[in-house]
Amino acid sequence: MQGVIHIPAGERSVIRLFALDMRPEQAAFLKEPGALVQVLGIEALDMDQVEIFPVSDLEDIGLTGYLTEGCGVPRAQVEEDRGMLQALEGHVLLIRSRAFGGEETRLTPADQIELKGTYGERRTNWSAAPATAESAKPYSAPKLSPREARSQARRIGATLFTIVMTLIALLVWALVF
């Protein structure tokens, strides 16, 4: 047994990668309700935030590409472990911190489950620069007097009416001749 892995309360945007040293049937069994919880030594786990798969399924992209492109881990973090990630074979287990529901958790994984790496997902920068364009300022539309606005509306209406009537006349003329 490799020891206890502490997950602090409120942890977010962390992915833990485990190597599964077991037969494919055993790894597939971990997807069954309650099985993974038991081998990790915990009470509950959101299985929607857990992935168990053979590394060979990743084909050309590899585990490095899957972590960066599929899971949003910054490339710099993965590059440090590139050699280890490329050497992994068999099944792996990915657990996102959301799987623990924000609760403080202590994992005591079975001997066949070995923690290989902990990676942080890219966080979204929710701050935004204030809008500085002239058109974004309140009341920045061109100011027209009511008389000018009515005149402009009449010209637009007359133009649209002329275009529609011309199209109708052309259509009637095409049907008659």
Side-chain angles (χ1 to χ4, degrees):
M1 193 168 194
Q2 69 185 35
V4 176
I5 300 169
H6 179 258
I7 287 65
E11 179 182 85
R12 297 175 51 178
S13 302
V14 175
I15 297 175
R16 287 180 176 75
L17 173 69
F18 295 88
L20 301 179
D21 183 24
M22 55 184 64
R23 293 189 319 267
E25 304 83 39
Q26 290 175 307
F29 178 73
L30 292 180
K31 296 177 185 177
E32 296 295 322
L36 186 59
V37 180
Q38 187 176 6
V39 296
L40 291 176
I42 56 177
E43 298 281 323
L45 190 67
D46 180 2
M47 290 300 287
D48 290 337
Q49 302 301 322
V50 174
E51 295 180 57
I52 301 170
F53 56 90
V55 176
S56 60
D57 281 359
L58 298 176
E59 297 176 355
D60 294 337
I61 191 171
L63 201 49
T64 305
Y66 183 71
L67 287 171
T68 57
E69 302 300 322
C71 298
V73 175
R75 190 168 300 280
Q77 283 186 36
V78 176
E79 287 299 322
E80 297 172 6
D81 295 339
R82 180 179 278 284
M84 179 270 300
L85 293 171
Q86 289 176 336
L88 279 177
E89 295 179 352
H91 282 72
V92 292
L93 164 67
L94 285 173
I95 303 178
R96 290 176 175 78
S97 53
R98 288 176 290 205
F100 306 109
E103 301 291 323
E104 180 178 5
T105 307
R106 296 187 185 280
L107 302 177
T108 53
D111 294 334
Q112 301 93 345
I113 302 175
E114 180 183 356
L115 179 64
K116 288 294 187 177
T118 302
Y119 305 98
E121 296 175 279
R122 265 185 237 110
R123 293 193 173 213
T124 303
N125 181 1
W126 292 104
S127 65
T132 56
E134 186 65 32
S135 63
K137 293 180 181 174
Y139 309 109
S140 62
K143 308 246 184 316
L144 295 176
S145 70
R147 181 170 289 165
E148 290 170 331
R150 273 193 310 272
S151 176
Q152 183 181 19
R154 283 188 192 122
R155 281 193 307 265
I156 291 171
T159 303
L160 287 174
F161 178 77
T162 304
I163 291 170
V164 170
M165 292 310 287
T166 304
L167 289 173
I168 291 173
L170 285 173
L171 181 64
V172 169
W173 182 77
L175 291 174
V176 171
F177 296 106

